[in-house]
């Protein structure tokens, strides 16, 4: 079985019974959409980097939203994919209030590998679609927090440095305008 299929099977198992907040779709549709968006947007990483990133995109919400642990991921996928998921996982609520958690998230992502920043950008873009459509009040908060994250964590650099694909050049700019 391929690494990608293993990641898909594991994420599907852990997200079983979970549904997207606004759309009611099975939750697994979100990580798959993020992985597909990443895959269709970035074609200059090596095949191995792409495979690891695709797996991390599929697994990116497992530790955050399920009983999955980093040890579970480390056992199955090794250090690289597990570290990517760690960079993509928000700090837990017990760490402090929302503002502190967002500051820690920015700090973590600012030192993340560029490939992780690219995955996170796809995650933010996919999440923004349902938030903007279904929760206009939260959309205001989301735009502000996302704009700050994109700026302070170096996403602009990532998109400019690696933005050779139409998606990044066009959709990234559109996304930035939407959150500005």
């Amino acid at each position: 079985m391929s690494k990608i299929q293993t990641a898909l099977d594991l994420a599907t198992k852990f997200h079983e019974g979970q549904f997207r907040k606004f759309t009611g779709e099975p939750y697994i549709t979100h990580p798959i959409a993020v992985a597909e968006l990443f895959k269709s947007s970035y074609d200059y990483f090596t095949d191995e980097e792409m495979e690891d990133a695709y797996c991390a995109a599929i697994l990116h919400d497992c530790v955050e939203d399920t009983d999955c642990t980093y040890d579970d991921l480390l056992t199955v996928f090794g250090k690289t994919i597990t570290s990517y998921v760690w960079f993509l996982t928000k700090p837990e609520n017990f760490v402090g209030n929302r503002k502190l958690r967002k500051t820690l998230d920015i700090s973590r992502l600012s030192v993340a590998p560029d490939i992780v920043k690219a995955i996170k950008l796809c995650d933010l873009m996919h999440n923004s679609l349902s938030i903007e459509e279904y929760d206009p009040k939260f959309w205001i908060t989301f735009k502000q927090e996302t704009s700050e994250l994109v700026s302070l964590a170096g996403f602009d650099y990532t998109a400019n440095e690696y933005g050779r694909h139409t998606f990044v050049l066009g959709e990234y700019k559109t996304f930035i305008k939407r959150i500005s």
Side-chain angles (χ1 to χ4, degrees):
M1 183 181 306
S2 74
K3 261 198 288 194
I4 291 173
Q5 187 61 53
T6 302
L8 185 57
D9 290 348
L10 187 74
T12 300
K13 177 184 126 191
F14 276 107
H15 287 297
E16 188 175 353
Q18 293 181 334
F19 299 93
R20 300 265 299 157
K21 181 177 179 178
F22 301 116
T23 65
E25 299 169 299
Y27 192 84
I28 192 63
T29 61
H30 168 65
I32 291 170
V34 171
E36 286 297 314
L37 190 55
F38 174 82
K39 180 181 173 185
S40 68
S41 302
Y42 298 93
D43 57 2
Y44 39 85
F45 295 109
T46 68
D47 289 345
E48 184 178 355
E49 288 172 325
M50 288 297 288
E51 182 178 50
D52 287 349
Y54 193 91
C55 289
I58 290 171
L59 298 164
H60 82 272
D61 280 335
C62 281
V63 173
E64 188 174 315
D65 295 336
T66 76
D67 293 334
C68 182
T69 67
Y70 293 116
D71 285 338
D72 293 333
L73 298 180
L74 197 56
T75 300
V76 176
F77 298 103
K79 184 179 171 183
T80 299
I81 293 171
T82 303
S83 69
Y84 287 1
V85 172
W86 180 82
F87 280 113
L88 294 164
T89 301
K90 295 176 192 167
E92 296 192 36
N93 287 342
F94 68 78
V95 171
N97 64 30
R98 183 178 179 88
K99 184 174 174 127
L100 175 60
R101 291 191 316 269
K102 291 298 178 183
T103 300
L104 293 171
D105 202 22
I106 289 168
S107 178
R108 182 186 295 195
L109 284 166
S110 70
V111 296
D114 288 335
I115 198 164
V116 171
K117 291 178 183 181
I119 297 166
K120 185 65 174 182
L121 184 59
C122 293
D123 179 33
L124 292 169
M125 292 181 74
H126 188 257
N127 279 332
S128 76
L129 300 174
S130 60
I131 293 169
E132 183 178 23
E133 182 176 352
Y134 294 101
D135 194 344
K137 185 177 177 184
F138 182 63
W139 174 241
I140 295 165
T141 302
F142 180 86
K143 286 192 321 180
Q144 181 181 3
E145 290 174 349
T146 302
S147 181
E148 188 174 317
L149 178 83
V150 166
S151 174
L152 296 176
F155 284 81
D156 191 49
Y157 164 79
T158 301
N160 289 330
E161 178 72 14
Y162 298 109
R164 300 179 202 139
H165 192 280
T166 305
F167 163 81
V168 175
L169 295 177
E171 295 298 323
Y172 175 78
K173 289 178 183 177
T174 302
F175 178 62
I176 295 303
K177 286 179 186 174
R178 285 179 48 227
I179 63 170
S180 298

